[in-house]
Amino acid sequence: MRLSVFPRKITNLQICPAQQILIPLILSYIFTNFAPSFINYKTTTLKNIVVIGAGTMGNGIAHVFAMKGYSVNLVDISQDALDRAIATITKNLDRMVKKERITETDKSDTLGNISTYTDLKEAAAQADLIVEAATENVNLKLKIFAQMDEVAPANTILATNTSSISITKIAAVTQRPDKVIGMHFMNPVPVMKLVEVIRGYATSNAVTETVMDMSRQLGKVPVEVHDYPGFVANRILMPMINEAMITLHEGVAGVEEIDTVMKLGMAHPMGPLQLADFIGLDVCLSIMRVLHDGFGNPKYAPCPLLVNMVMAGKLGRKSGEGFYAYTAGSKDLVLADSFK
């Protein structure tokens, strides 16, 4: 390929065999890391989005892309999960219509922008961007990314919504590590403004800039961070939640007392134990294990109480009980029997 940006005289240089090997490698590195204009992703032309995982995060991500006019293919291995996701999105849109934030036409257009699939290969055939939002399990994510890399077009950007797992590790199972990036949305996705954009070791400037711009088009505020365990959000948040559990486990104070101190004393809108229930105690445990394994520091060891609660199936709001007990249709905050 002839590069017009280089002088024609370069073709007359006498170069040795070693230089003939090195020059293409150097140019490839420059193109990937310092010349994003040569790999010209334009967010205005990236219209086909695939979201993998129809759970809380996946349906929220599909919702926000669809509302902004993107064509969204939502993928899950379970048709029931897909049906529940569409029901959730519809319910959330209905709430927005009732509050006069959108019109009935906006709602109809948003739902019309979403298609559901159980076959990733079919869903990803024309994808510009794939956002993986499966369970926070490293082996599952590695498997999914290997599949994504196999079925997606060569220029497709592969993003993960992981909240703690190494982007570099995920990218290593693909043949396109320069196009793999973290796109960590916050829960609930339609409401929360932040998107943590995480560069892996090989993620290109072009891909990073594209994802930053696309996040802004979604009405979000993207923050670029580097690839270390927990990134920024969960490296700070999860140890705080874990310490609240240790405080409870050691008998310093009860559930309600700990949450009250943090709400009234630190102006947190939600106490750390209530927030853990909202996130999911299984997710909290997974993230603490990533931090503990990644840094090798005992300060990140998961609280034994957290481990026991997850083993007992007490996962918080999603299971109906964690530190608090939850009843469908009720917004009352009721202490779980185990902590009374």
Side-chain angles (χ1 to χ4, degrees), residues 15-332:
I15 57 177
C16 68
Q19 291 171 319
Q20 289 176 347
I21 295 172
L22 285 172
I23 286 175
L25 294 175
I26 294 169
L27 292 180
S28 175
Y29 181 80
I30 292 171
F31 268 54
T32 299
N33 294 282
F34 300 106
S37 60
F38 293 145
I39 310 171
N40 192 16
Y41 289 105
K42 292 183 179 178
T43 53
T44 54
T45 62
L46 300 181
K47 287 296 182 184
N48 298 318
I49 310 300
V50 174
V51 179
I52 299 177
T56 300
M57 297 304 295
N59 74 58
I61 294 167
H63 177 152
V64 296
F65 271 109
M67 276 199 67
K68 292 298 182 178
Y70 291 92
S71 175
V72 179
N73 290 346
L74 181 59
V75 184
D76 201 286
I77 59 173
S78 166
Q79 185 60 51
D80 287 344
L82 290 167
D83 293 342
R84 288 194 298 272
I86 296 299
T88 298
I89 294 169
T90 302
K91 181 179 177 182
N92 290 336
L93 291 170
D94 284 337
R95 188 180 298 114
M96 296 176 77
V97 170
K98 186 176 180 179
K99 294 180 179 180
E100 299 184 346
R101 293 178 181 173
I102 63 172
T103 65
E104 283 286 353
T105 300
D106 295 329
K107 170 191 166 183
S108 178
D109 289 345
T110 298
L111 291 172
N113 287 334
I114 304 174
S115 301
T116 60
Y117 291 83
T118 55
D119 182 356
L120 175 58
K121 184 176 182 180
E122 182 182 1
Q126 298 181 30
D128 296 312
L129 167 71
I130 303 179
V131 182
E132 170 274 318
T135 304
E136 192 75 351
N137 178 291
V138 63
N139 292 327
L140 176 62
K141 289 186 184 292
L142 295 180
K143 180 180 178 181
I144 290 173
F145 263 79
Q147 293 171 345
M148 288 161 57
D149 186 49
E150 183 179 342
V151 302
N155 289 329
T156 303
I157 297 171
L158 308 183
T160 174
N161 184 57
T162 182
S163 55
S164 61
I165 298 169
S166 168
I167 307 303
T168 303
K169 184 172 185 176
I170 291 172
V173 302
T174 76
Q175 299 301 311
R176 61 181 95 189
D178 58 311
K179 297 180 181 69
V180 176
I181 194 165
M183 200 174 186
H184 179 207
F185 291 85
M186 304 294 138
N187 185 31
V189 180
V191 176
M192 301 296 280
K193 287 289 189 181
L194 178 66
V195 178
E196 260 188 320
V197 177
I198 307 104
R199 298 182 66 132
Y201 187 83
T203 307
S204 72
N205 285 346
V207 167
T208 303
E209 290 173 9
T210 297
V211 170
M212 294 284 285
D213 288 345
M214 182 173 280
S215 299
R216 294 185 189 100
Q217 289 184 16
L218 294 176
K220 304 300 185 184
V221 178
V223 175
E224 181 183 339
V225 305
H226 292 288
D227 186 22
Y228 291 94
F231 317 132
V232 172
N234 282 321
R235 182 169 179 177
I236 296 170
L237 175 64
M238 282 301 158
M240 191 255 315
I241 289 175
N242 194 58
E243 193 63 33
M245 296 176 190
I246 293 171
T247 302
L248 173 65
H249 185 55
E250 293 180 349
V252 177
V255 171
E256 294 173 310
E257 289 75 15
I258 292 168
D259 278 354
T260 298
V261 166
M262 296 305 292
K263 286 189 286 187
L264 299 185
M266 313 304 168
H268 289 197
M270 186 182 293
L273 301 177
Q274 183 186 357
L275 179 57
D277 275 359
F278 182 75
I279 294 169
L281 300 190
D282 54 334
V283 176
C284 294
L285 179 58
S286 293
I287 295 170
M288 287 308 302
R289 283 176 170 161
V290 168
L291 293 173
H292 192 218
D293 293 345
F295 291 114
N297 190 322
K299 77 176 183 178
Y300 295 113
C303 175
L305 176 60
L306 172 61
V307 176
N308 284 343
M309 290 179 72
V310 171
M311 286 194 297
K314 309 298 184 183
L315 308 181
R317 182 180 288 274
K318 69 174 75 174
S319 69
E321 184 180 336
F323 296 103
Y324 296 90
Y326 302 90
T327 304
S330 174
K331 294 184 178 180
D332 294 337

